[in-house]
Amino acid sequence: MARHLKPLVQRWSSRVFSVELDGAPVYFGIREKLRGATVLPAVFSRLQKEDRCYSLLVCNWDRIRGDRFHWELRDKLLKDLPPGSDVATMSSFLPDEKGSLVKGYFFKSRAENSPLIEGILSDLEHTDPVLVCSYSQSEDGQQWTQSLWSHAEKKQMKFYVVPSEAPEHHPSALNMINSDVFYSLDEACDVLKKCGDIIPETQSVLRMLPSRVDARRKPDFPVIVIEGLDATGKTTLTESLRDTLGATLLRSPPQCLSTWRARFDREPPIIRRAFYAVGNYITAEQICQESAKSPVIVDRFWHSTAAYAIATAVTGPVSNLPHDGSEVYCWPSDLLQPSLVVLLTLDPEERTRRLRNRGLMKTDEEQELDHNKLFRDRVEEAYRRIIGPLCITVDASPSADLVLQQVLLLIRAKCHL
Ligand SMILES: Nc1ncnc2c1ncn2[C@@H]1O[C@H](COP(=O)(O)OP(=O)(O)OP(=O)(O)O)[C@@H](O)[C@H]1O
Ligand SMILES: Nc1ccn([C@H]2C[C@H](O)[C@@H](COP(=O)(O)O)O2)c(=O)n1
């Protein structure tokens, strides 16, 4: 076994394994010995007798390259594996141990495809930082065992698959800090600097870096950020506020990054989120300059960056989010805090109607909407949990003019404008 994979299998039977089924994680553990009869974990109980299962865990020998490899591996598996392999996202972690999350994939295959699978796995294992496990079923179908694939024939390397309790929060929460959400300009820049050789555009982004701004400096004029899911009316409201208040309108990511945004949107979370984080600091510098002259309205800022990142990293219901008050919701100490954040909310039907009217609704398939509902709930809840500047939720369902009037009242009350 390659040296860098060894830390992963140390404390192997203390690890919990998680597989995403129907948009939410299900868990199992592994034990050397079985004590009494155990119920088969949900991942396995739904399998057929002829199914063979495999997992690939990507060892983070370098978190940026590791995440990029993990990201690209999904496409490779979907392309190379036979139809019906049902590739699912998988992870393994040590309960409550920060930074212990290892990402990977789980898939099944039918016995007749074994030669093809063996070829794919053998190539992967030899050239890439992956640990391959295979799972086999006992004769009576009551038990599954997990082995390191290259050791599958050795009896002593087999572990029984057993149920495991769900952790209090989604395992992704263990590795979120400075991987999904960045808490300083230095941390975000560090990631971008390290991917300069794989993404040449990074050099151009880094050239836009702001000069250091004193995050504690109080702006002369109020700074109001408008937040919310797409189509909640941010553009409409921010433009009206600009006109009514004679304010400067800024956005994050700033205009100067728009050429590269689509490029970074294609990258895995660690790189994509670092790009958006840097965007907030560039906007912060613009805020500092403009707020010396007039009120400033900002269309999206750090709330968006953090809430979308947290809500994307976890799956399933809102209860899977890191708990309210968790450090992941804390505002970066080196980032300027606005005077007020207004969070626009809208009931899902009206939001869908507005999206349709705008002509950007791509699909309304039932299942897609179901998944989106959980995602929308997570983003909105993450928005609400962010600790930092005053954030007030406003119902955006009345007419555009009524929403404007209500937000103006709020600004006058809270920012003394
Ligand atoms: N209060 C409102 N009542 C009815 N329609 C509205 C209201 N506010 C905005 N709209 C309409 O809803 C659609 C979405 O609004 P807008 O583009 O302002 O949202 P947004 O939050 O900026 O979206 P995105 O984040 O996707 O850019 C537009 O067609 C807009 O004209
Ligand atoms: N400051 C920001 C602004 C946007 N994002 C991300 C979050 C979403 O993935 C997407 C939404 O932007 P829109 O489509 O409404 O332009 O961009 C962010 O992370 N930080």
Side-chain angles (χ1 to χ4, degrees):
M1 187 194 312
R3 202 156 35 97
H4 61 272
L5 296 174
K6 275 201 173 134
L8 186 58
V9 287
Q10 278 159 5
R11 299 170 67 193
W12 199 221
S13 56
S14 312
R15 284 195 163 264
V16 176
F17 298 82
S18 150
V19 177
E20 294 287 331
L21 288 186
D22 305 326
V26 292
Y27 301 95
F28 68 91
I30 54 169
R31 295 288 174 272
E32 265 179 86
K33 291 198 173 75
L34 273 188
R35 289 187 188 86
T38 55
V39 182
L40 212 49
V43 188
F44 297 93
S45 57
R46 51 160 68 189
L47 294 170
Q48 314 271 319
K49 187 114 184 88
E50 308 75 31
D51 289 336
R52 302 266 190 282
C53 296
Y54 304 88
S55 62
L56 301 169
L57 290 168
V58 179
C59 187
N60 270 357
W61 83 112
D62 165 336
R63 64 188 183 126
I64 299 167
R65 280 164 206 278
D67 272 22
R68 205 155 191 264
F69 174 74
H70 175 254
W71 187 251
E72 290 168 350
L73 181 58
R74 178 177 202 95
D75 287 342
K76 181 176 168 49
L77 292 175
L78 291 175
K79 182 167 76 62
D80 293 350
L81 292 175
S85 298
D86 289 351
V87 179
T89 303
M90 179 186 200
S91 66
S92 168
F93 60 97
L94 294 164
D96 300 324
E97 199 163 306
K98 278 196 189 146
S100 67
L101 187 84
V102 178
K103 295 179 191 170
Y105 297 101
F106 184 90
F107 65 92
K108 68 177 168 78
S109 168
R110 304 197 47 107
E112 64 264 26
N113 290 320
S114 290
L116 171 67
I117 303 290
E118 305 264 312
I120 296 170
L121 294 181
S122 157
D123 284 352
L124 274 171
E125 209 183 42
H126 282 107
T127 54
D128 295 310
V130 287
L131 185 77
V132 184
C133 291
S134 60
Y135 299 82
S136 42
Q137 199 174 18
S138 61
E139 274 301 307
D140 62 3
Q142 300 298 306
Q143 276 305 325
W144 282 80
T145 50
Q146 174 182 296
S147 334
L148 297 180
W149 180 62
S150 45
H151 296 66
E153 301 312 318
K154 296 185 192 157
K155 215 170 165 205
Q156 68 274 24
M157 300 298 280
K158 283 191 178 19
F159 289 81
Y160 291 98
V161 162
V162 295
S164 175
E165 263 181 43
E168 201 183 335
H169 299 289
H170 194 282
S172 293
L174 294 170
N175 283 35
M176 228 169 230
I177 291 188
N178 293 325
S179 277
D180 293 293
V181 191
F182 292 88
Y183 298 87
S184 72
L185 177 59
D186 287 344
E187 288 288 351
C189 286
D190 189 45
V191 167
L192 293 189
K193 281 178 191 153
K194 283 187 179 139
C195 52
D197 55 339
I198 41 177
I199 310 170
E201 290 86 344
T202 306
Q203 309 300 343
S204 312
V205 173
L206 289 171
R207 273 197 287 276
M208 300 286 167
L209 272 188
S211 49
R212 300 279 151 167
V213 165
D214 180 2
R216 287 158 305 176
R217 214 197 95 213
K218 218 175 149 19
D220 298 330
F221 285 89
V223 177
I224 298 116
V225 172
I226 307 299
E227 289 282 6
L229 295 174
D230 50 337
T232 45
K234 296 181 298 300
T235 308
T236 309
L237 177 64
T238 50
E239 288 176 355
S240 302
L241 286 171
R242 175 196 58 199
D243 299 344
T244 315
L245 297 172
T248 304
L249 175 54
L250 297 172
R251 49 182 53 88
S252 179
Q255 192 60 35
C256 63
L257 292 189
S258 55
T259 326
W260 303 295
R261 187 174 178 181
R263 175 71 188 85
F264 283 87
D265 277 345
R266 293 199 300 271
E267 290 297 323
I270 188 165
I271 300 174
R272 180 164 185 252
R273 303 301 176 193
F275 169 81
Y276 281 100
V278 165
N280 288 329
Y281 288 92
I282 298 174
T283 298
E285 192 190 35
Q286 298 173 348
I287 294 174
C288 269
Q289 287 161 3
E290 296 304 322
S291 64
K293 299 178 261 176
S294 68
V296 176
I297 307 298
V298 192
D299 188 340
R300 291 197 190 274
F301 196 47
W302 196 76
H303 272 73
S304 281
T305 314
Y308 277 80
I310 296 167
T312 308
V314 308
T315 52
V318 160
S319 56
N320 280 352
L321 286 172
H323 64 82
D324 202 359
S326 157
E327 58 187 330
V328 303
Y329 301 111
C330 287
W331 193 271
S333 59
D334 62 349
L335 183 65
L336 173 139
Q337 290 205 14
S339 327
L340 173 67
V341 178
V342 174
L343 171 60
L344 300 179
T345 58
L346 206 53
D347 68 72
E349 289 74 29
E350 173 60 10
R351 209 182 127 267
T352 308
R353 199 186 62 74
R354 289 187 192 177
L355 276 169
R356 271 213 188 93
N357 285 351
R358 207 171 57 169
L360 293 179
M361 190 73 177
K362 290 197 179 80
T363 168
D364 57 357
E365 281 168 38
E366 209 61 46
Q367 201 191 1
E368 179 76 294
L369 277 180
D370 273 357
H371 283 142
N372 282 348
K373 185 194 167 343
L374 287 180
F375 176 63
R376 283 198 305 272
D377 290 349
R378 292 197 302 273
V379 178
E380 285 200 339
E381 185 53 30
Y383 265 131
R384 289 193 189 93
R385 290 185 185 181
I386 285 168
I387 306 158
L390 174 65
C391 177
I392 299 181
T393 302
V394 168
D395 173 15
S397 45
S399 71
D401 193 49
L402 275 178
V403 175
L404 171 67
Q405 295 313 322
Q406 204 194 333
V407 173
L408 282 171
L409 281 178
L410 264 179
I411 294 175
R412 290 195 175 114
K414 303 293 177 189
C415 306
H416 313 293
L417 241 190

